[in-house]
Amino acid sequence: MISCRAPGKLFIAGEYAVVEPGHLAVLTAVDRYASATVTEVSAGAATTLRSDLHGGVSLTLGRDGDRLVPATPEGAVPAAFAYVFAAVSVLDRLRGERGIDARPYRLAVSADLGDADGRKFGLGSSAAVTVATVAAVGRFLALGLSAMDRYRLAMLATIEVNPRASGGDVAVSTWGGWLAYGSPDRAVVAATAAADGIDAALRAPWPGLSVRPLPTPT
């Protein structure tokens, strides 16, 4: 069993400016977290995802050739799993590109970034869940990911769901603490991944991206 967690975020300044590539925002992590736990299952079993974010829901995954697909009517991804499914799909593509054998697993995600009745506080629960998922599944697949790799993979997954997302919340959920963050050109990033693959996108320049830790104010 592998468990990882990632903090939520607060924007201090620049929440709208940072949507434009290269423009800066200041953010800080908060002491509320999302968690992801991966448990290996027997060979031949299906990979399953479970989330407590919507009252406890599950999604079973199958394969269409070399792609993970939801075992739902018409292969639709339920909204509750949009970011988690994007994250595991990006990781699965990277696994395939690196020639690592697929292994089924059970992934459970949870978060304490909202109220008990499901109301969100704007603390970046989607980003934190995505980052925690990347960290846990990446360790399970033995991908040897650095912090920058985890940020980039979580950002690639986020772009698939929301192409305009700045990724400030993704950065803070990855590194924690206080950050000055400039967003990358998401169109360039997505095009690189589509044309050259996920591994190439991890190594390529990301125009506009800037991540700088800041000292905690007194």
Side-chain angles (χ1 to χ4, degrees):
M1 180 185 297
I2 297 170
S3 292
C4 296
R5 70 176 190 170
K9 63 82 173 94
L10 280 176
F11 273 96
I12 305 302
E15 182 171 3
Y16 297 101
V18 76
V19 174
E20 297 299 323
H23 289 235
L24 294 178
V26 175
L27 308 94
T28 184
V30 300
D31 58 353
R32 289 195 176 204
Y33 299 86
S35 299
T37 300
V38 178
T39 306
E40 187 165 16
V41 297
S42 59
T47 290
T48 58
L49 313 178
R50 178 169 177 79
S51 171
D52 75 350
L53 273 62
H54 296 265
V57 289
S58 298
L59 177 65
T60 300
L61 304 182
R63 286 201 172 271
D64 180 5
D66 60 353
R67 296 187 306 117
L68 281 175
V69 294
T72 59
E74 301 179 356
V77 180
F81 289 104
Y83 287 92
V84 174
F85 178 75
V88 300
S89 296
V90 167
L91 287 163
D92 191 65
R93 288 167 60 191
L94 179 62
R95 173 205 60 75
E97 290 172 11
R98 292 185 175 180
I100 299 171
D101 290 340
R103 297 157 57 200
Y105 55 86
R106 182 170 63 252
L107 171 68
V109 297
S110 62
D112 64 349
L113 291 159
D115 209 346
D117 62 4
R119 289 182 300 166
K120 291 188 175 184
F121 295 152
L123 298 177
S125 58
S126 296
V129 164
T130 304
V131 170
T133 295
V134 166
V137 177
R139 283 178 56 188
F140 174 75
L141 296 175
L143 293 173
L145 303 175
S146 67
M148 181 57 79
D149 290 335
R150 296 196 303 274
Y151 160 79
R152 290 190 174 204
L153 289 164
M155 192 61 186
L156 287 168
T158 299
I159 291 170
E160 288 192 4
V161 180
N162 180 9
R164 286 188 52 79
S166 72
D169 48 3
V170 175
V172 167
S173 291
T174 301
W175 281 282
W178 287 70
L179 293 180
Y181 172 80
S183 62
D185 187 320
R186 278 82 77 195
V188 169
V189 168
T192 299
D196 303 323
I198 302 301
D199 214 359
L202 295 184
R203 301 188 304 270
W206 282 30
L209 176 62
S210 172
V211 182
R212 178 166 56 92
L214 298 174
T216 301
T218 57

